[in-house]
Amino acid sequence: MEMSLVFSPGTDNTSPVLVNVVACKNLSLVTANDFTFSGLNIPGNTSNKQGFAVNLVTVDQFPGLNTFGVPVKRLDFAPKGLNSPHSHPRATEVLSVIKGSLYVGFMISTDNKLFSKVMNKGDVFVFPIGLVHFQYNIGDCDVEAFSVLSSQDPGVVRIANSLFGANPEISDDILSKAFMMDKKTVDYIQSQF
Amino acid sequence: MEMSLVFSPGTDNTSPVLVNVVACKNLSLVTANDFTFSGLNIPGNTSNKQGFAVNLVTVDQFPGLNTFGVPVKRLDFAPKGLNSPHSHPRATEVLSVIKGSLYVGFMISTDNKLFSKVMNKGDVFVFPIGLVHFQYNIGDCDVEAFSVLSSQDPGVVRIANSLFGANPEISDDILSKAFMMDKKTVDYIQSQF
Amino acid sequence: MEMSLVFSPGTDNTSPVLVNVVACKNLSLVTANDFTFSGLNIPGNTSNKQGFAVNLVTVDQFPGLNTFGVPVKRLDFAPKGLNSPHSHPRATEVLSVIKGSLYVGFMISTDNKLFSKVMNKGDVFVFPIGLVHFQYNIGDCDVEAFSVLSSQDPGVVRIANSLFGANPEISDDILSKAFMMDKKTVDYIQSQF
Amino acid sequence: MEMSLVFSPGTDNTSPVLVNVVACKNLSLVTANDFTFSGLNIPGNTSNKQGFAVNLVTVDQFPGLNTFGVPVKRLDFAPKGLNSPHSHPRATEVLSVIKGSLYVGFMISTDNKLFSKVMNKGDVFVFPIGLVHFQYNIGDCDVEAFSVLSSQDPGVVRIANSLFGANPEISDDILSKAFMMDKKTVDYIQSQF
Amino acid sequence: MEMSLVFSPGTDNTSPVLVNVVACKNLSLVTANDFTFSGLNIPGNTSNKQGFAVNLVTVDQFPGLNTFGVPVKRLDFAPKGLNSPHSHPRATEVLSVIKGSLYVGFMISTDNKLFSKVMNKGDVFVFPIGLVHFQYNIGDCDVEAFSVLSSQDPGVVRIANSLFGANPEISDDILSKAFMMDKKTVDYIQSQF
Amino acid sequence: MEMSLVFSPGTDNTSPVLVNVVACKNLSLVTANDFTFSGLNIPGNTSNKQGFAVNLVTVDQFPGLNTFGVPVKRLDFAPKGLNSPHSHPRATEVLSVIKGSLYVGFMISTDNKLFSKVMNKGDVFVFPIGLVHFQYNIGDCDVEAFSVLSSQDPGVVRIANSLFGANPEISDDILSKAFMMDKKTVDYIQSQF
């Protein structure tokens, strides 16, 4: 009976149903594999502009997570690799460093105070829900880290991309006034995204 | 008995208690004024760089809101006044325009799609929790608007300020890489905040 | 990704789905209009027995509200117009007066204490979830007000109508005993509804 | 460790604390009695105007209920005894009849539809949160019933009392307009409470 | 309108929908019977190994419970009848004894403290969510009791059965190490289930 | 402002307060260290009867977790090391294997079905809230794993200990009937705890 929670808050699994917009399996068809995900041992490919790769395990890869939240992700950073400032609108993130040295931080709006820290192997750091945060590899070797998120639908807002790479574009009037830069600079940055 | 909920989810109001870190009153001392707030008819002062003013009524001004969420705010915009891109980490916002024409928008991270709209008197618009959004007065006269938020502790993250005005500063390495601009530009923008 | 929350707590919007019994749109079909509602500037028609009109914007008119709660309503009162005693079984209400003078109140059951107040332009008042409350225009001109509710499915129980206008009727034995009035009076009042 | 939940959602019970405005005990002082309540076998005294008595076991009598909700109550009805129309602003009620025949009902506001039923020994009925409902002994012998409520702070709004017995009084203008009765009748009913 | 909550948190009942995996009825087809369940007066059949019977009224028998939780159950115990150690992974249980003497208890993991009590007619006891608990008839006559659970999908984990009657079997290595018994004993116990 | 959520759902941090029974810091005293925990790189000491060690990082070690849930733990297993059957009454667990081969499983009560799996490096497995589960090192080398839990107060019920090591003891009548073993065996097992 309680299995029903695994796939839904309901009490009937005799036929496939939608819960959180994820199809439910008939209980008799459920196997241990529905609760398993493999591959977090495989490093992501960090040969890109940002020198960063993320492998997020959400309910899409992992039906057993449905209604339980707490997706898991692996993060890989090349030297100087950056997970650029972003926020998760619906989740707090707890990050553990497995290898290397990672500089992390988040800002609060009361006086824009920055909370930052250099994390080493075995350190854990929490990024409160909705706050803008970043991670940056300050060492000379690769960094491997794992994160968990407190919602199965955390979402992610990449600040620079969503402002300067918006589609359609946000008008120069707004961006130049918000960032107090001239419109030429705005246009230049937009052209990068 | 149910009054206790007004000040706490508990059942005892014989002595002052803390609920959501807000002091509870002894029920016998509660008056209608604890459920009232006045002054939303008074325009905010928009004679500032951004041409924008907000008057947020939270549980601090308004004890009756405690445990009920839904704070109310009045927004005033001078012509070209901007409520710069920001997000509320813990609340969805529903905005109604009372006077004037307001250009509003928010971005989603899937392909950074921008959802924008020109709002006129009597229009209502919803900004989903945690998403970056802005409001801009595109008209020639003042704009008056009201918002409600779905949490009594909505929070606000002003993007430009928290990134380029962070204290202590976020390093040039990170900001120039994130916004794909040279460090001189980063330094210039930081100097503005 | 986080857009999915706009229409559902799930993570898949590749096909229409039901969330909170509201059909979800394919993300690629969503536009800013799904987050907009127009018409709150239009006064309701108060030429009725109660001299009162309400225009409630729920998720039905306003798909973007789905999963966000906080519906908005406009209330209009003719002089002596009454929003008769009622309760919202699933929401707290926060009311702002835009024009005129409104006498408002709610009762608590501990000793049936009445909390009442004359509200003027710019005043905000909160009616706790489930408590019986009313609003009455005590001025000589029309009153315009806006309310927000803390649930997308607030519900409304009109006390007089649900008791004396119930269908089928509630028996005289019950109503006369509850209101301590003779059955003739009960029958008379029932005949009015 | 999980015992802490019994008294609070926290993890530390080394010293007394408030949770839901209920004092927490030091875990080492907790005994089985904190989870027990006795006396529901004792009939209430129904020799009163309404011929009705209720014995509600809330977290006040029953600290173990704290953070768990589901208070229990015993209801006793003399012949023609009435639990007058009322609502629980913060709880759904599930009632079981142990002895006798009870006529129960609740109204919904959509067209004021009445849902009513004669309950006999062994019947269970659910009254949805916030809806106005009543119970009436239509038999010739006493009725004994038990209820559970889905919140530890259910609250109760007695309709007739809170409207006609409000303190201070609700004005005749409002009550006569709401109930469509002349002010003399309003005054008479008010005098009964 | 608020009826919609009875069947769903949504606002549209014009067509059948699934809520909590329970089919919703068209509001116009709903009757009082949807809120009623009969038969809790009928004793369960306790002529079995454990001398125990339970009759659980969930949302399956009782559509009106949907979205309201608080299912009700009747428990019957023959003399020496046992409701063997089990837990409800998603609900707190509140038990009332109607007839007889019942010995009840639950354990907490901090030092495995046992909280136990002999309950008599009219006593109420609460079993916190997820904790292992049992009920045992220590009297010479039958025991009749009622329980309510704080979730409409409480679930139940029968400890002995799920460990020694698991299908497929849990390996001897694990059970003998966990219970510190030799594998012969493990095999013997497994053979009983 | 939103920082207040880090320590409480309230809006005032001008003085220390309790939230979830955890002391809140004055915001001006908060540092990045309040969001950091170190030491998960240090293996636990597995030289014990069960060959198992766990290092749980809860809100006690880690104030920044308060109100965010998702505690993290490191698990170490010697060869044949066992994390004996247990359940978390208030949390779902997501486990990742960093090194070695781990045999894991949980049972559901519908037909006591066992869901089991051999996990290797990089595998992730989810244990639903409240269900009895175990982990066993079937390899010849040590196993290192990390878990996250979906509640900051997950609790743990060690089945064998809480039943056979209860204090005071659970009576032989109950245990022998529940496990269908003679009382001599019950006494023997109890003597082991």
Side-chain angles (χ1 to χ4, degrees):
Chain A
M1 188 67 92
E2 65 276 23
M3 267 304 292
S4 61
L5 189 65
V6 180
F7 290 124
S8 84
T11 59
D12 170 18
N13 271 299
T14 57
S15 64
V17 292
L18 281 180
V19 177
N20 295 355
V21 205
V22 176
C24 285
K25 265 192 174 175
N26 181 320
L27 181 49
S28 64
L29 303 178
V30 174
T31 73
N33 291 331
D34 293 309
F35 299 92
T36 316
F37 176 82
S38 297
L40 284 191
N41 54 321
I42 301 159
N45 173 7
T46 59
S47 52
N48 54 50
K49 252 191 188 174
Q50 298 283 312
F52 168 70
V54 61
N55 181 2
L56 175 59
V57 184
T58 71
V59 69
D60 294 336
Q61 296 82 39
F62 201 172
L65 274 181
N66 193 20
T67 77
F68 293 132
V70 289
V72 182
K73 61 183 175 181
R74 174 191 173 123
L75 302 90
D76 289 285
F77 300 80
K80 304 204 169 320
L82 174 69
N83 186 2
S84 68
H86 64 283
S87 65
H88 302 293
R90 292 179 297 283
T92 288
E93 178 171 3
V94 177
L95 182 137
S96 325
V97 170
I98 303 298
K99 207 181 73 188
S101 287
L102 197 62
Y103 174 71
V104 304
F106 67 85
M107 285 73 63
I108 62 171
S109 59
T110 329
D111 66 31
N112 305 311
K113 191 172 177 182
L114 166 69
F115 290 82
S116 66
K117 181 92 184 166
V118 174
M119 297 176 66
N120 297 306
K121 183 179 183 185
D123 291 348
V124 180
F125 197 87
V126 59
F127 302 98
I129 184 168
L131 299 192
V132 176
H133 57 287
F134 59 82
Q135 297 118 15
Y136 183 60
N137 181 352
I138 55 170
D140 302 329
C141 54
D142 291 348
V143 166
E144 173 183 344
F146 286 90
S147 274
V148 290
L149 294 144
S150 63
S151 156
Q152 82 179 39
D153 182 28
V156 57
V157 179
R158 294 240 159 248
I159 301 306
N161 306 47
S162 67
L163 285 171
F164 292 91
N167 161 26
E169 280 193 354
I170 300 175
S171 82
D172 291 1
D173 298 335
I174 291 170
L175 291 176
S176 61
K177 191 159 198 163
F179 286 86
M180 303 201 239
M181 54 172 81
D182 56 49
K183 300 187 176 183
K184 262 240 227 53
T185 315
V186 170
D187 293 336
Y188 171 76
I189 300 175
Q190 287 179 324
S191 69
Q192 301 298 303
F193 285 91
Chain B
M1 189 66 92
E2 62 276 24
M3 268 303 292
S4 62
L5 189 64
V6 180
F7 290 126
S8 85
T11 59
D12 170 19
N13 271 299
T14 56
S15 64
V17 291
L18 282 180
V19 179
N20 295 356
V21 206
V22 176
C24 285
K25 267 192 175 174
N26 181 320
L27 182 48
S28 64
L29 304 177
V30 174
T31 73
N33 291 331
D34 292 309
F35 300 92
T36 316
F37 175 82
S38 297
L40 283 191
N41 54 321
I42 301 160
N45 173 6
T46 60
S47 53
N48 54 49
K49 253 190 185 173
Q50 299 283 315
F52 166 69
V54 62
N55 180 2
L56 175 59
V57 185
T58 70
V59 70
D60 293 335
Q61 296 81 38
F62 199 174
L65 274 181
N66 193 21
T67 76
F68 293 131
V70 289
V72 182
K73 62 183 175 182
R74 174 191 173 123
L75 302 91
D76 289 283
F77 300 80
K80 306 208 170 315
L82 173 70
N83 186 2
S84 68
H86 64 283
S87 65
H88 302 293
R90 294 178 297 281
T92 288
E93 179 172 4
V94 177
L95 182 137
S96 324
V97 169
I98 303 299
K99 206 181 76 187
S101 287
L102 197 63
Y103 173 71
V104 304
F106 67 84
M107 284 73 63
I108 63 171
S109 59
T110 332
D111 67 31
N112 304 312
K113 192 172 177 180
L114 165 69
F115 290 81
S116 66
K117 180 90 183 170
V118 174
M119 297 176 65
N120 297 306
K121 185 183 183 184
D123 291 348
V124 179
F125 196 88
V126 58
F127 302 97
I129 184 169
L131 299 192
V132 175
H133 58 286
F134 58 82
Q135 297 118 15
Y136 183 60
N137 180 354
I138 57 170
D140 303 329
C141 53
D142 292 346
V143 165
E144 174 184 344
F146 287 90
S147 274
V148 290
L149 295 144
S150 63
S151 156
Q152 82 179 37
D153 182 28
V156 56
V157 179
R158 294 239 160 247
I159 301 305
N161 306 47
S162 67
L163 286 170
F164 292 92
N167 162 26
E169 279 195 354
I170 301 175
S171 80
D172 290 3
D173 297 335
I174 291 170
L175 290 176
S176 61
K177 191 160 197 165
F179 286 87
M180 303 199 238
M181 54 172 80
D182 55 49
K183 299 186 177 183
K184 264 239 234 48
T185 316
V186 171
D187 294 336
Y188 171 75
I189 300 176
Q190 287 178 323
S191 68
Q192 301 298 302
F193 286 92
Chain C
M1 190 67 92
E2 63 275 22
M3 269 304 291
S4 61
L5 189 64
V6 180
F7 289 124
S8 85
T11 60
D12 169 18
N13 272 299
T14 57
S15 64
V17 292
L18 282 180
V19 178
N20 295 355
V21 206
V22 176
C24 285
K25 265 192 174 174
N26 181 319
L27 181 49
S28 63
L29 303 177
V30 174
T31 73
N33 291 331
D34 292 308
F35 299 91
T36 316
F37 175 82
S38 297
L40 283 191
N41 55 322
I42 301 158
N45 173 7
T46 60
S47 51
N48 54 50
K49 255 192 187 174
Q50 298 283 314
F52 167 70
V54 61
N55 181 2
L56 175 59
V57 185
T58 71
V59 70
D60 294 336
Q61 296 81 41
F62 200 172
L65 274 181
N66 193 20
T67 76
F68 293 130
V70 289
V72 182
K73 63 182 175 181
R74 176 193 172 121
L75 302 91
D76 290 283
F77 300 80
K80 305 205 170 318
L82 174 68
N83 186 1
S84 69
H86 64 284
S87 65
H88 302 293
R90 292 179 297 283
T92 288
E93 178 171 3
V94 176
L95 182 137
S96 326
V97 169
I98 303 299
K99 208 180 74 187
S101 288
L102 197 63
Y103 173 71
V104 304
F106 67 83
M107 283 74 63
I108 63 170
S109 57
T110 330
D111 67 31
N112 305 311
K113 192 172 176 182
L114 165 68
F115 290 82
S116 66
K117 180 91 184 168
V118 174
M119 297 177 65
N120 296 306
K121 182 180 185 186
D123 292 348
V124 180
F125 197 88
V126 58
F127 302 98
I129 184 168
L131 298 191
V132 175
H133 57 286
F134 58 83
Q135 297 118 14
Y136 183 61
N137 180 354
I138 56 170
D140 303 329
C141 54
D142 291 348
V143 166
E144 173 184 344
F146 286 89
S147 275
V148 290
L149 295 144
S150 63
S151 154
Q152 81 179 38
D153 182 29
V156 56
V157 180
R158 294 240 158 247
I159 302 305
N161 307 47
S162 66
L163 285 171
F164 293 91
N167 161 29
E169 281 193 352
I170 299 174
S171 81
D172 290 3
D173 298 333
I174 291 170
L175 290 175
S176 61
K177 191 159 198 164
F179 286 87
M180 303 200 239
M181 55 171 82
D182 56 48
K183 299 188 177 182
K184 262 239 226 54
T185 316
V186 171
D187 294 336
Y188 172 75
I189 301 176
Q190 287 179 324
S191 69
Q192 300 298 300
F193 286 92
Chain D
M1 188 66 92
E2 62 278 24
M3 268 302 292
S4 62
L5 190 65
V6 180
F7 290 125
S8 85
T11 59
D12 169 19
N13 270 300
T14 57
S15 64
V17 292
L18 282 181
V19 177
N20 294 356
V21 206
V22 176
C24 285
K25 267 193 175 173
N26 181 318
L27 181 48
S28 63
L29 303 177
V30 175
T31 73
N33 291 332
D34 292 309
F35 301 91
T36 316
F37 176 83
S38 297
L40 284 191
N41 55 321
I42 301 159
N45 174 6
T46 60
S47 53
N48 54 47
K49 253 190 185 174
Q50 299 283 314
F52 167 70
V54 62
N55 181 3
L56 175 58
V57 184
T58 71
V59 70
D60 293 336
Q61 296 82 38
F62 200 173
L65 274 181
N66 193 21
T67 76
F68 294 131
V70 290
V72 182
K73 63 183 176 182
R74 175 192 172 121
L75 302 90
D76 289 284
F77 300 80
K80 303 209 172 315
L82 174 69
N83 186 1
S84 68
H86 63 283
S87 65
H88 302 293
R90 292 178 299 283
T92 288
E93 179 171 4
V94 176
L95 183 138
S96 324
V97 169
I98 303 297
K99 208 180 75 188
S101 287
L102 197 64
Y103 174 70
V104 304
F106 67 84
M107 285 73 62
I108 61 171
S109 58
T110 331
D111 67 32
N112 305 311
K113 192 171 176 181
L114 166 69
F115 291 82
S116 66
K117 180 92 184 167
V118 174
M119 296 176 67
N120 297 306
K121 185 183 180 182
D123 291 349
V124 180
F125 197 88
V126 58
F127 302 98
I129 184 168
L131 298 192
V132 175
H133 57 287
F134 58 83
Q135 297 118 16
Y136 183 61
N137 180 353
I138 56 171
D140 302 329
C141 54
D142 291 348
V143 166
E144 174 184 342
F146 287 89
S147 274
V148 291
L149 294 144
S150 63
S151 156
Q152 83 180 38
D153 181 28
V156 56
V157 180
R158 296 238 159 248
I159 301 305
N161 306 48
S162 67
L163 285 170
F164 291 92
N167 162 28
E169 282 195 351
I170 300 175
S171 81
D172 291 3
D173 298 334
I174 291 170
L175 290 175
S176 61
K177 191 161 199 164
F179 286 86
M180 302 199 236
M181 55 173 80
D182 55 48
K183 299 186 177 182
K184 262 237 234 49
T185 316
V186 170
D187 294 337
Y188 171 75
I189 300 175
Q190 286 179 323
S191 68
Q192 300 298 301
F193 286 91
Chain E
M1 188 66 93
E2 64 276 22
M3 269 302 292
S4 62
L5 190 65
V6 179
F7 290 124
S8 85
T11 58
D12 170 17
N13 271 299
T14 57
S15 64
V17 291
L18 282 179
V19 178
N20 295 354
V21 205
V22 177
C24 285
K25 264 192 176 173
N26 181 319
L27 180 49
S28 63
L29 304 177
V30 175
T31 73
N33 291 331
D34 292 309
F35 299 91
T36 315
F37 175 82
S38 297
L40 284 191
N41 55 320
I42 301 159
N45 174 6
T46 60
S47 51
N48 55 49
K49 253 192 188 173
Q50 298 284 314
F52 167 70
V54 61
N55 180 2
L56 174 59
V57 184
T58 70
V59 69
D60 293 335
Q61 297 81 40
F62 200 173
L65 274 181
N66 192 21
T67 77
F68 293 131
V70 292
V72 182
K73 62 183 176 181
R74 175 192 172 122
L75 302 91
D76 289 284
F77 300 79
K80 305 206 169 318
L82 174 69
N83 187 2
S84 68
H86 64 283
S87 65
H88 302 293
R90 293 178 297 284
T92 288
E93 178 170 4
V94 177
L95 181 138
S96 325
V97 169
I98 302 299
K99 209 180 72 188
S101 287
L102 197 63
Y103 173 70
V104 304
F106 67 84
M107 284 73 64
I108 62 170
S109 59
T110 329
D111 65 32
N112 305 311
K113 192 172 178 182
L114 165 69
F115 290 83
S116 66
K117 181 93 185 166
V118 174
M119 296 177 65
N120 297 306
K121 184 181 184 185
D123 292 348
V124 180
F125 197 89
V126 58
F127 302 97
I129 184 169
L131 298 191
V132 175
H133 57 286
F134 58 82
Q135 296 119 17
Y136 183 60
N137 181 353
I138 56 169
D140 303 328
C141 53
D142 292 348
V143 166
E144 173 183 344
F146 286 89
S147 274
V148 289
L149 295 145
S150 63
S151 156
Q152 81 178 39
D153 182 29
V156 56
V157 180
R158 294 240 160 246
I159 301 305
N161 307 49
S162 67
L163 285 170
F164 291 91
N167 160 27
E169 280 193 354
I170 300 176
S171 80
D172 290 2
D173 297 334
I174 290 171
L175 290 176
S176 61
K177 190 159 199 164
F179 286 87
M180 303 200 239
M181 55 173 82
D182 56 48
K183 300 187 178 183
K184 261 238 226 54
T185 317
V186 170
D187 294 336
Y188 172 75
I189 300 175
Q190 286 179 324
S191 69
Q192 300 298 301
F193 287 91
Chain F
M1 187 68 91
E2 63 276 23
M3 268 303 293
S4 62
L5 190 64
V6 180
F7 292 124
S8 84
T11 60
D12 170 18
N13 273 300
T14 56
S15 65
V17 291
L18 283 180
V19 178
N20 294 355
V21 205
V22 176
C24 285
K25 265 192 175 173
N26 180 320
L27 180 48
S28 63
L29 304 177
V30 175
T31 73
N33 291 331
D34 292 309
F35 299 92
T36 317
F37 175 82
S38 297
L40 284 191
N41 54 321
I42 302 160
N45 174 6
T46 60
S47 52
N48 55 49
K49 252 190 187 177
Q50 299 284 312
F52 167 69
V54 62
N55 180 2
L56 175 58
V57 185
T58 71
V59 70
D60 293 335
Q61 296 81 40
F62 200 173
L65 273 181
N66 193 22
T67 76
F68 293 131
V70 290
V72 182
K73 62 183 175 182
R74 174 191 172 122
L75 302 90
D76 289 284
F77 300 79
K80 305 206 171 317
L82 173 68
N83 186 1
S84 69
H86 64 283
S87 65
H88 301 293
R90 294 177 298 282
T92 288
E93 178 171 2
V94 177
L95 182 138
S96 323
V97 169
I98 302 299
K99 207 180 76 188
S101 286
L102 197 63
Y103 174 69
V104 304
F106 67 84
M107 284 73 63
I108 63 171
S109 59
T110 330
D111 66 33
N112 305 311
K113 191 172 177 180
L114 166 68
F115 290 83
S116 65
K117 180 92 184 167
V118 173
M119 295 176 66
N120 297 306
K121 183 182 183 184
D123 291 348
V124 181
F125 197 87
V126 59
F127 302 97
I129 184 168
L131 298 192
V132 175
H133 58 287
F134 58 83
Q135 296 118 16
Y136 184 61
N137 180 353
I138 56 171
D140 303 328
C141 54
D142 292 347
V143 166
E144 174 184 344
F146 287 90
S147 274
V148 290
L149 294 144
S150 63
S151 157
Q152 83 179 38
D153 182 28
V156 56
V157 179
R158 294 239 160 247
I159 300 306
N161 307 48
S162 67
L163 286 169
F164 292 92
N167 160 28
E169 282 195 352
I170 300 175
S171 80
D172 290 3
D173 298 334
I174 291 170
L175 290 176
S176 60
K177 190 162 199 163
F179 286 87
M180 303 200 236
M181 54 172 81
D182 55 48
K183 298 186 179 185
K184 263 239 237 46
T185 317
V186 170
D187 294 336
Y188 172 74
I189 300 176
Q190 286 178 324
S191 69
Q192 301 298 302
F193 286 92

